[in-house]
Amino acid sequence: MKIYSGTTRCLLKNEHLVVHTNLNLCLRYLFITALLFYGLADAWAKQLSEQGSVKITVINDGGVLLEGAIVELSGTGKTGLTDSAGVILFKNLDYGTYQVQVSHMGFNMGSTLVTVSTPTMVELKVGLKTRDEQLNEVVIAGKSENQQAKEQTIRSAVVSTREVADQPVTLTELINQTAGVRIRQAGGLGAAPDISVSGFQGRSIRYFKDGVPLDYLRDGYNVASVPVNLLERVEIFKGVLPVALGADALGGAVNLISRKMTKPELNFSYEIASFNTHRLTFNGFYTDRRARWIAGVEAFYNHSDNDYKANVKVTDPVTKNQNIQSMRLFHNAFSGYYTEAFAGVVNRRWADELRLSVAGFAVNRQQQHPALMTDPYGAITGRQSSVVPSLRYTKSLLQDKIRISQFAVFNTVTINRVDTLHGQYDWYGNFTEDLSRTGESRQASLSAIRFRNFISRTNLSYQLDGRNKLEVNYVYASSRRTGKDPYGTRFSGTETDILTVPALYNKQVVSAGLETTFFSEKLTNNLMGKFYHFSSEGVEAWEARAIDQNETVRQSGQYWGAAEAAKFQLSGQSFLRMSAEFANRMPEQEELFGDGVWVVPNFNLQPERSLNLNLGYYLRRPSLFSLEINTFYRRTKDMILLVPTQAPYAQYMNMENVKGYGLEADASLHFLRHFVVNGNFTWQSLRLFGLTSSQDLWKNGARLRNTPYFFANAGLAANFSGLIRPKDRLHLYARYNFIREFYLETIPRSVEAKGFLGLEGSASIQSELIIPSQHLLNAGFTYQPSDRYALGLEVKNITDGNLYDYFRIQKAVRSFHLKLNYTLK
Amino acid sequence: MKKFKVMNKLAWALCLAVLAVGCKDDEPGTETTPETEVNQKFFVAATAGTATYMLTVDDLESGTASIVGNGIEEPYAFTAFVNNGTKATVAMQYRQGDPAIGMSYGLNTSGSLVKIGNEFQMDKGYTTWGTFGDYVLTARSGQTLTSGATGAIVYFVDVNNQNAVTSKEVVTTNMTGNGLTATLSGLVDGGNGEFLTSLVLTNGNVDSVYVAALDENLTVKRIYKDNRLSYSAGRYRSAYYSQIDNDDDGNTYVFSGSYESTTTKPAGAIRINQGATTFDPSYYFNIQELSGGYRFRKVWHVTEDYFLLEFYNDIAYSTTSAATQYAIVKMEDKTFTWLTSGFPAKDQITATGWPFSDNGKLYLPVTTASAQPTVYVIDPKTATAKAGLVIEAEGVSALAKFTY
């Protein structure tokens, strides 16, 4: 039951705002939308006036909320499952009396009557008695929303963050436990994440928060910073994206689903860990007894010194020789907060939900080294901050046949970089003054760059009849960059900073899809079309070229895409899924215009295009085992890569074509009542093709560089309860992660590691560019004396191995994490 | 490929055996340790993408070498390669504002290419380089010294001692007695415990040339001054290319490409005879007259008193202009010949690497728009070139010869 999900539309005046055409447009847009909604709401109001709603909470005989209970309102055809709070909501019920039937595996069936005679929501609590005898036959257990997400036609890997909310685990670690997905980070907590899904990386993958493209929150809210407590789950789409996620993703998407609460609740957690790491979360939700108003707060704070030891090349003070030594990092801290407060109305005639929210965040990062851990920096810092007002509106009409959701956000993110030091640090943290230079890095800076974002997402779905559902999604995103840097590039012959000239980028993605069921819902089919448009404007500039102020260049493009997905239910417990998509990823502002210094503009960039095919099989016996096998094929043309031109300059170009296939398998097994073992592996063969220049012919057939081709996970967990106290719970777990060696650069196929699937030995090449095979083992436990408290302890990287996601950027050594959780309901 | 390597080893083993036998025959009574000096291989630093591939080949004059699956792969480009003898080559990155890093490559006892010695750091970077005794020298001018004065940092890289670096400072203000500050360009061994470097004066007289002789403590032993040339340095962005070098007799030729548009002196050369304390007043070579007005940017010694000069492609030039036409000059005879026979046309050349001279010839890596990088073998006496080794790569940075 999605009660407080969906999106809204509107925008707010931001404090940084200057009156501007964009704003006028937005306001006009807002006005028209408001009119539209008002009209719709008015039209349906009469029909709805004789209707009310029922909220049912299911508990067991011990008072514990039951998730996944099947609740049926006889005579209405309405049925559903309770959510994690044991709640199900039935809306748009005509006045009358209904019989409520509630069933759950392991419990006797319960039933009661409920009468709806006013628009006010009727609240009902149903208790189920534990069934004494064990059933012989296997019962299909209720499916949680997370489980439902796993079984969608368009496949997503679902990371259930709720289940691990008490563990001091990071979201990136959790996601890395998923087959086919690999997040790489350069360093410790807060380091920028780069996700790889089926070999697609970087900008080919898009991030969303509750279905809205996440670019507007930058590093304030991303998979590296959000604590698991604050999320309901994470959906990782591989290949095909559903209509609701409107973006020009080529290879997949990550959708962070915020925690959904339906009852008043307060939750607080604190984690303390090695390297002076502190993570706090606070989550509060309030709704009045009649569920007409909601308000809440979601906040987190992260800090880590990230002062772990890493093997770096230290310059001997006497001989100036570079010797590899284990040194403690000293300027590597990360800290940041994100806080969001919201208030709104729910369950109104004109809105299922209208929510206004204001978020604020700031992220501060010390920069210890340049791209590689080659040189120590001791004073370079970066900061990102913003105030983010947003509005969300959802409404279902005609007995849920039509669903409308609208989300709008308007904000300005300010990005600062400071590098003004006169001198240098060494790896011991000693400073040597040198007045003849400014800045420790090669780019002295005191910049303030502002990105002004407006994003609107409109989603409309219409259940045409029992078999057909139409869905339309429209995303409009615009960003406007301005800024200044006293140390930055100037226009030729002037003192005018090139950053002061605005750079604009607008993007629109329209997608429409038809979902049809056949053969009494055994086959579900999704057919989708997508339209992409971008326009961009900026100055053509780079360091070696004299720049004139009037050299503004405009670029735009529009492209089509299509996707098809089908799911065939083989039995109650198994199904087959296939999907195919032809997708585009449009060139970004930075790729077109460069960075004004070292990256040269390229206005001839074409979009990356990809054809993806996916086929999967899923089998699940609740409380026993689950098995999932997926394969994919992809063919990507014109991948945009940063290519060095004449040193030190580089330019984004449509360079490579990649095709290949992959196999992923994931299984879990429950045994001996208390234990669960799970494992998965990902193997992929992604190879270059279509290179025609004589110098590059050898690359045809070579593996896509800088992409792991084999990785695997294994996990073992045990659950016990009633150990010390009657209702306490103990959860023990261990997670193991393996990545096979891979290479930063293209290596010829002939020297690749040999053996079955290339898994034997090492490549026969002398290279500094090998990222060796790695093993990571984490283990811990959580203990819950009662529903209120939880304590988690985890040791990460138990074997203290040297871990690298990137060449010569070492990640944290062994660390200890303690997490306390307090919940008040 | 593996098979080929094995064959290679066999071939070398055979050579060793033959040589060992040969030594015995020639010098009866001496120890029978093989005379390893005569085993040699050539070194090629090839580039592709952002990486550099260190390769060895048996011959620079013919054949094909490939980076594909071969050599030692380094994830960066190198700006300069310095050869001091045949034990190792020192490769240096520039890395813009970050401290420069150097490393060296040579052969192990079995003739395989290996990294030799430690990586080293030049914290202030470098803009010019050369050799001095057993050292590789690099220098960066325009630095604030520990005393607060403006000067140059000179790094002495001891290639016989794991690349241990000694950095020394020299004040460059008023070196020439006129209060001006100098930038060092070119570092050439004087052979007498001194090295020579050209001085480019900031706001100085562009119709004069200065050369300083310094000892290993960076004590200025003397200043050579002459008014027949402009300063001696090639210019490319912030870099100063050496335009001084020795001939086989130890005489130092000081060239000037006459970069400054304001100078009245044509591009040419004068000479410091070995051990002399002044320029040779009787020697003057007006090169610009023979080149038809073209000016040159880089200078390399080939053999005897033959030099190869790299000229700008057009009469008009700037700090980033293309310079891909070449001429051979014989200094004593003051003869000048454009290198055209067997060599690509200047507008065909897209990139060149650092050349290397050996056995009376100069080996110059050239990349053209239509062909793979190719080593051109230049015979200075006939002023002809021929295409030699082809390297399957995007470019070639440098060449060297190693013995083991």
Side-chain angles (χ1 to χ4, degrees):
Chain A
M1 285 302 293
K2 292 188 182 177
I3 299 173
Y4 300 121
S5 67
T7 54
T8 44
R9 153 195 310 218
C10 192
L11 52 111
L12 274 192
K13 198 166 168 181
N14 186 291
E15 55 182 278
H16 298 114
L17 185 69
V18 186
V19 177
H20 181 263
T21 21
N22 229 13
L23 175 70
N24 283 338
L25 264 178
C26 295
L27 285 175
R28 195 177 307 161
Y29 181 54
L30 171 72
F31 181 67
I32 293 166
T33 313
L35 267 185
L36 177 73
F37 284 154
Y38 181 78
L40 279 173
D42 194 49
W44 306 122
K46 286 193 184 78
Q47 188 160 355
L48 298 172
S49 59
E50 297 282 295
Q51 293 187 337
S53 57
V54 177
K55 180 185 176 188
I56 297 164
T57 307
V58 182
I59 53 172
N60 71 7
D61 35 9
V64 174
L65 298 165
L66 286 180
E67 181 181 6
I70 302 165
V71 183
E72 191 182 344
L73 281 195
S74 58
T76 63
K78 292 195 174 198
T79 181
L81 299 163
T82 53
D83 64 13
S84 58
V87 171
I88 182 166
L89 197 63
F90 293 101
K91 290 185 291 183
N92 308 324
L93 295 172
D94 294 330
Y95 289 171
T97 302
Y98 302 94
Q99 178 160 33
V100 181
Q101 290 203 323
V102 184
S103 54
H104 193 288
M105 195 177 80
F107 294 92
N108 289 321
M109 188 177 278
S111 94
T112 183
L113 292 175
V114 62
T115 300
V116 180
S117 57
T118 65
T120 315
M121 181 183 285
V122 182
E123 290 205 38
L124 198 66
K125 210 169 242 185
V126 180
L128 294 186
K129 282 198 167 149
T130 310
R131 191 183 293 171
D132 299 329
E133 77 279 17
Q134 269 304 114
L135 290 176
N136 287 328
E137 78 271 35
V138 177
V139 174
I140 302 171
K143 292 171 186 167
S144 65
E145 201 174 288
N146 288 357
Q147 183 59 34
Q148 289 173 37
K150 280 182 193 168
E151 298 184 12
Q152 289 295 309
T153 314
I154 297 172
R155 187 171 87 93
S156 64
V158 175
V159 179
S160 308
T161 44
R162 288 298 303 143
E163 294 166 11
V164 296
D166 298 335
Q167 299 176 12
V169 64
T170 66
L171 192 53
T172 50
E173 288 164 358
L174 269 188
I175 292 176
N176 278 340
Q177 293 291 316
T178 312
V181 186
R182 181 81 208 158
I183 291 188
R184 294 195 280 159
Q185 277 183 288
L189 180 67
D194 183 13
I195 196 165
S196 160
V197 176
S198 304
F200 285 102
Q201 286 167 2
R203 293 173 167 128
S204 300
I205 313 288
R206 301 292 190 190
Y207 292 90
F208 298 82
K209 180 181 190 237
D210 297 320
V212 178
L214 197 48
D215 310 318
Y216 67 100
L217 291 176
R218 296 261 159 180
D219 291 349
Y221 192 101
N222 65 20
V223 294
S225 62
V226 183
V228 291
N229 311 38
L230 297 186
L231 295 177
E232 195 67 35
R233 65 176 181 278
V234 178
E235 297 168 354
I236 301 161
F237 291 89
K238 304 173 185 177
V240 181
L241 263 62
V243 170
L245 297 184
D248 56 333
L250 200 61
V254 177
N255 190 13
L256 306 175
I257 309 289
S258 314
R259 181 86 210 271
K260 274 176 208 125
M261 290 183 285
T262 50
K263 299 194 349 175
E265 181 180 335
L266 281 179
N267 178 280
F268 173 78
S269 79
Y270 171 58
E271 178 187 335
I272 180 166
S274 309
F275 321 125
N276 194 24
T277 301
H278 304 272
R279 304 189 77 182
L280 283 100
T281 68
F282 177 76
N283 212 348
F285 180 79
Y286 169 79
T287 175
D288 62 322
R289 287 177 65 84
R290 291 164 62 208
R292 304 271 288 166
W293 298 90
I294 54 165
V297 176
E298 177 185 312
F300 62 82
Y301 170 77
N302 292 315
H303 175 87
S304 178
D305 285 351
N306 286 321
D307 58 342
Y308 54 88
K309 282 191 162 183
N311 291 327
V312 294
K313 288 184 177 173
V314 178
T315 306
D316 184 289
V318 178
T319 65
K320 307 284 184 195
N321 280 183
Q322 302 250 290
N323 304 311
I324 291 176
Q325 280 181 43
S326 177
M327 298 299 293
R328 190 166 290 286
L329 304 180
F330 63 91
H331 184 67
N332 203 33
F334 166 82
S335 64
Y337 74 85
Y338 175 89
T339 174
E340 180 172 351
F342 62 88
V345 293
V346 292
N347 301 319
R348 305 297 171 114
R349 250 180 223 171
W350 47 275
D352 291 348
E353 181 184 3
L354 176 65
R355 174 195 290 210
L356 168 67
S357 127
V358 179
F361 71 83
V363 168
N364 293 295
R365 193 175 270 134
Q366 296 178 337
Q367 190 183 343
Q368 175 74 78
H369 54 78
L372 305 182
M373 275 185 173
T374 44
D375 305 283
Y377 297 154
I380 302 177
T381 57
R383 179 182 166 86
Q384 295 186 9
S385 58
S386 184
V387 175
V388 192
S390 65
L391 203 57
R392 180 184 292 272
Y393 173 85
T394 59
K395 177 67 191 150
S396 305
L397 302 165
L398 287 177
Q399 270 108 29
D400 273 4
K401 273 190 178 167
I402 295 180
R403 285 173 187 234
I404 301 162
S405 79
Q406 172 63 40
F407 177 87
V409 60
F410 185 86
N411 73 319
T412 301
V413 180
T414 305
I415 299 179
N416 303 92
R417 182 169 183 273
V418 180
D419 180 16
T420 55
L421 203 66
H422 299 295
Q424 282 170 307
Y425 278 87
D426 65 18
W427 280 113
Y428 298 95
N430 301 319
F431 177 64
T432 312
E433 192 176 54
D434 180 356
L435 294 173
S436 63
R437 61 180 287 161
T438 303
E440 295 175 271
S441 74
R442 59 187 64 173
Q443 194 68 52
S445 167
L446 187 61
S447 64
I449 299 174
R450 274 178 278 281
F451 289 87
R452 197 169 76 194
N453 305 298
F454 170 65
I455 295 173
S456 164
R457 184 248 201 178
T458 310
N459 183 278
L460 199 92
S461 74
Y462 181 39
Q463 188 77 43
L464 297 167
D465 53 40
R467 289 175 43 199
N468 292 291
K469 191 172 112 179
L470 186 69
E471 188 176 2
V472 181
N473 195 80
Y474 172 60
V475 172
Y476 173 84
S478 79
S479 110
R480 179 178 189 270
R481 187 200 72 196
T482 54
K484 59 174 192 230
D485 186 351
Y487 299 98
T489 313
R490 308 281 136 179
F491 284 105
S492 169
T494 72
E495 272 305 297
T496 311
D497 187 339
I498 66 156
L499 284 171
T500 57
V501 176
L504 308 175
Y505 193 85
N506 292 321
K507 192 192 280 188
Q508 296 178 76
V509 179
V510 185
S511 35
L514 180 68
E515 184 179 301
T516 314
T517 54
F518 300 96
F519 313 122
S520 42
E521 304 201 350
K522 273 203 162 154
L523 176 65
T524 312
N525 191 72
N526 257 312
L527 184 64
M528 289 171 279
K530 295 180 183 180
F531 173 74
Y532 316 89
H533 177 269
F534 82 92
S535 62
S536 186
E537 189 181 318
V539 180
E540 181 182 354
W542 75 96
E543 198 254 0
R545 182 180 174 281
I547 303 157
D548 278 327
Q549 243 163 304
N550 54 11
E551 287 183 84
T552 301
V553 180
R554 284 180 188 81
Q555 282 289 302
S556 67
Q558 56 191 46
Y559 314 97
W560 290 92
E564 154 70 24
K567 177 181 146 187
F568 188 74
Q569 199 78 36
L570 297 168
S571 71
Q573 289 128 21
S574 65
F575 57 81
L576 276 176
R577 236 174 342 200
M578 67 72 58
S579 59
E581 179 164 31
F582 179 73
N584 290 282
R585 202 275 285 173
M586 296 182 280
E588 304 264 325
Q589 169 110 22
E590 192 204 325
E591 293 167 337
L592 291 164
F593 286 89
D595 65 357
V597 187
W598 308 116
V599 180
V600 179
N602 181 357
F603 297 118
N604 298 318
L605 277 182
Q606 296 299 309
E608 296 182 345
R609 292 166 296 149
S610 187
L611 173 69
N612 310 315
L613 304 173
N614 305 280
L615 178 68
Y617 172 75
Y618 186 85
L619 172 66
R620 174 176 183 250
R621 289 188 192 273
S623 304
L624 198 62
F625 72 86
S626 70
L627 173 70
E628 189 173 0
I629 298 171
N630 289 287
T631 60
F632 71 85
Y633 170 81
R634 67 177 253 208
R635 192 179 166 87
T636 308
K637 299 196 88 169
D638 295 332
M639 283 175 72
I640 298 173
L641 293 174
L642 187 62
V643 180
T645 47
Q646 199 176 356
Y649 302 105
Q651 190 176 37
Y652 284 99
M653 294 184 192
N654 290 110
M655 277 299 287
E656 280 175 0
N657 304 319
V658 176
K659 65 180 176 185
Y661 48 89
L663 175 72
E664 306 158 17
D666 189 302
S668 71
L669 175 70
H670 295 252
F671 64 102
L672 295 176
R673 234 174 109 218
H674 299 290
F675 298 91
V676 187
V677 61
N678 71 291
N680 63 50
F681 73 84
T682 305
W683 177 84
Q684 51 204 21
S685 177
L686 298 166
R687 294 178 181 280
L688 306 181
F689 74 100
L691 290 154
T692 49
S693 106
S694 63
Q695 289 173 18
D696 292 333
L697 280 177
W698 66 271
K699 290 184 183 169
N700 285 321
R703 274 192 211 285
L704 179 61
R705 70 179 177 287
N706 198 12
T707 306
Y709 66 93
F710 180 82
F711 44 98
N713 290 287
L716 179 66
N719 289 293
F720 302 95
S721 61
L723 290 175
I724 304 169
R725 298 165 54 133
K727 280 183 197 164
D728 68 354
R729 277 189 275 173
L730 176 68
H731 177 76
L732 301 160
Y733 61 92
R735 299 192 181 99
Y736 166 73
N737 180 275
F738 169 77
I739 320 178
R740 174 89 174 113
E741 73 169 24
F742 62 100
Y743 308 91
L744 276 180
E745 284 292 334
T746 308
I747 65 166
R749 192 168 188 164
S750 57
V751 301
E752 282 173 8
K754 301 287 187 282
F756 177 66
L757 303 180
L759 298 179
E760 211 174 272
S762 190
S764 49
I765 191 164
Q766 267 196 68
S767 176
E768 291 258 337
L769 304 176
I770 297 177
I771 297 182
S773 291
Q774 298 177 54
H775 307 268
L776 170 65
L777 180 64
N778 298 344
F781 71 86
T782 59
Y783 178 69
Q784 245 182 303
S786 76
D787 283 347
R788 261 189 195 186
Y789 305 95
L791 175 148
L793 187 72
E794 184 171 323
V795 186
K796 300 184 204 261
N797 193 3
I798 291 176
T799 56
D800 210 14
N802 290 342
L803 300 177
Y804 299 87
D805 273 346
Y806 294 100
F807 174 63
R808 281 190 188 160
I809 306 174
Q810 198 178 327
K811 296 172 69 183
V813 293
R814 182 179 352 182
S815 60
F816 299 87
H817 302 250
L818 173 71
K819 184 173 180 179
L820 303 167
N821 215 315
Y822 176 75
T823 306
L824 184 66
K825 285 189 182 175
Chain B
M1 186 49 73
K2 212 164 197 174
K3 198 170 186 179
F4 174 75
K5 278 181 180 161
V6 172
M7 295 274 288
N8 227 357
K9 275 184 191 156
L10 276 174
W12 282 111
L14 207 65
C15 283
L16 268 174
V18 169
L19 285 165
V21 172
C23 287
K24 250 190 226 166
D25 288 353
D26 287 351
E27 297 170 74
T30 55
E31 290 299 312
T32 56
T33 41
E35 187 62 83
T36 51
E37 278 303 311
V38 285
N39 288 321
Q40 67 173 48
K41 281 185 184 181
F42 294 98
F43 166 85
V44 178
T47 60
T50 49
T52 304
Y53 298 80
M54 311 296 178
L55 310 171
T56 52
V57 295
D58 295 335
D59 185 9
L60 289 177
E61 304 211 1
S62 63
T64 304
S66 173
I67 60 165
V68 179
N70 294 321
I72 301 175
E73 185 181 26
E74 296 285 359
Y76 17 68
F78 293 88
T79 308
F81 286 80
V82 188
N83 305 325
N84 193 358
T86 55
K87 283 294 168 204
T89 189
V90 175
M92 297 182 289
Q93 304 172 52
Y94 179 60
R95 305 174 69 227
Q96 275 123 20
D98 292 323
I101 299 290
M103 54 198 75
S104 55
Y105 298 87
L107 300 178
N108 64 13
T109 48
S110 59
S112 299
L113 186 71
V114 288
K115 230 174 186 166
I116 287 180
N118 294 319
E119 292 188 12
F120 57 93
Q121 189 191 67
M122 294 161 282
D123 53 352
K124 305 295 181 192
Y126 61 94
T127 50
T128 189
W129 55 87
T131 60
F132 176 49
D134 286 342
Y135 295 108
V136 164
L137 287 197
T138 70
R140 174 91 192 257
S141 305
Q143 299 299 303
T144 306
L145 306 180
T146 42
S147 62
T150 299
I153 313 281
V154 180
Y155 297 99
F156 292 70
V157 183
D158 189 348
V159 289
N160 292 329
N161 184 22
Q162 301 291 311
N163 295 336
V165 177
T166 312
S167 64
K168 295 176 184 171
E169 297 182 342
V170 56
V171 176
T172 52
T173 303
N174 202 27
M175 260 180 148
T176 48
N178 54 7
L180 298 173
T181 301
T183 295
L184 310 188
S185 172
L187 299 164
V188 172
D189 197 337
N192 51 352
E194 295 173 5
F195 66 91
L196 300 170
T197 181
S198 159
L199 305 178
V200 182
L201 300 180
T202 306
N203 302 320
N205 179 358
V206 294
D207 284 344
S208 296
V209 60
Y210 293 91
V211 169
L214 294 94
D215 66 11
E216 62 176 330
N217 299 316
L218 301 191
T219 309
V220 180
K221 306 299 281 188
R222 77 194 72 79
I223 300 286
Y224 299 85
K225 186 194 172 198
D226 205 290
N227 292 327
R228 289 174 290 174
L229 291 181
S230 183
Y231 65 73
S232 170
R235 300 288 296 273
Y236 177 73
R237 296 184 180 285
S238 59
Y240 289 80
Y241 291 130
S242 171
Q243 292 187 339
I244 60 176
D245 211 344
N246 294 340
D247 69 5
D248 281 352
D249 297 328
N251 303 312
T252 304
Y253 285 95
V254 175
F255 295 78
S256 170
S258 287
Y259 176 80
E260 299 297 334
S261 54
T262 48
T263 181
T264 60
K265 309 295 178 186
I270 53 179
R271 183 168 71 192
I272 301 169
N273 295 320
Q274 189 179 22
T277 54
T278 59
F279 281 110
D280 179 347
S282 65
Y283 182 84
Y284 171 72
F285 183 9
N286 184 341
I287 296 171
Q288 194 171 331
E289 190 176 37
L290 298 177
S291 71
Y294 290 99
R295 301 176 194 223
F296 56 87
R297 190 172 72 177
K298 289 185 196 159
V299 172
W300 299 285
H301 176 235
V302 185
T303 188
E304 299 171 16
D305 59 340
Y306 288 98
F307 284 75
L308 182 80
L309 308 184
E310 177 186 279
F311 283 83
Y312 288 108
N313 288 2
D314 298 303
I315 302 280
Y317 60 90
S318 75
T319 172
T320 54
S321 295
T324 53
Q325 59 175 341
Y326 296 86
I328 297 282
V329 284
K330 183 161 168 52
M331 300 309 287
E332 184 57 46
D333 303 350
K334 300 179 192 169
T335 57
F336 178 98
T337 318
W338 284 111
L339 179 67
T340 50
S341 169
F343 197 74
K346 63 184 177 183
D347 53 358
Q348 286 294 304
I349 297 173
T350 54
T352 57
W354 294 108
F356 152 74
S357 45
D358 181 50
N359 202 22
K361 290 173 189 157
L362 190 91
Y363 299 86
L364 178 64
V366 174
T367 307
T368 59
S370 56
Q372 302 263 30
T374 303
V375 174
Y376 280 85
V377 186
I378 297 164
D379 182 345
K381 293 179 181 167
T382 58
T384 57
K386 70 177 177 85
L389 178 73
V390 174
I391 298 108
E392 290 169 351
E394 282 167 25
V396 172
S397 300
L399 305 168
K401 182 172 86 172
F402 297 147
T403 54
Y404 65 102

